[in-house]
Amino acid sequence: MTWAMDILILELIREKKAELLNIVKAYGFNHLKTIQCSQELDHLLNLNEKIKYSSM
């Protein structure tokens, strides 16, 4: 993985975390929007780990 891809995935994760915090503030923890955004963040985090460890 190139450093540009590292930066891209980390930026996407940072943005998704910020989005999740805003959704939680607006709708609470149990709202469908919160759950969907959390799942999207989980996917990005899992992808990051998979890419990181596949390059070792």
Side-chain angles (χ1 to χ4, degrees):
M1 182 163 71
T2 67
W3 62 271
M5 287 179 69
D6 282 339
I7 292 171
L8 176 62
I9 190 88
L10 292 175
E11 180 63 20
L12 290 171
I13 289 169
R14 186 194 66 75
E15 289 174 2
K16 189 58 70 175
K17 284 180 180 180
E19 179 184 352
L20 180 57
L21 288 174
N22 288 331
I23 291 172
V24 167
K25 287 178 188 176
Y27 298 99
F29 285 104
N30 294 323
H31 196 278
L32 181 59
K33 288 183 181 191
T34 304
I35 294 167
Q36 288 173 336
C37 187
S38 178
Q39 290 173 340
E40 291 168 7
L41 176 58
D42 288 344
H43 176 74
L44 288 171
L45 292 167
N46 290 335
L47 181 61
N48 185 48
E49 289 298 307
K50 183 178 179 182
I51 291 169
K52 184 167 52 171
Y53 287 108
S54 69
S55 65
M56 294 181 137

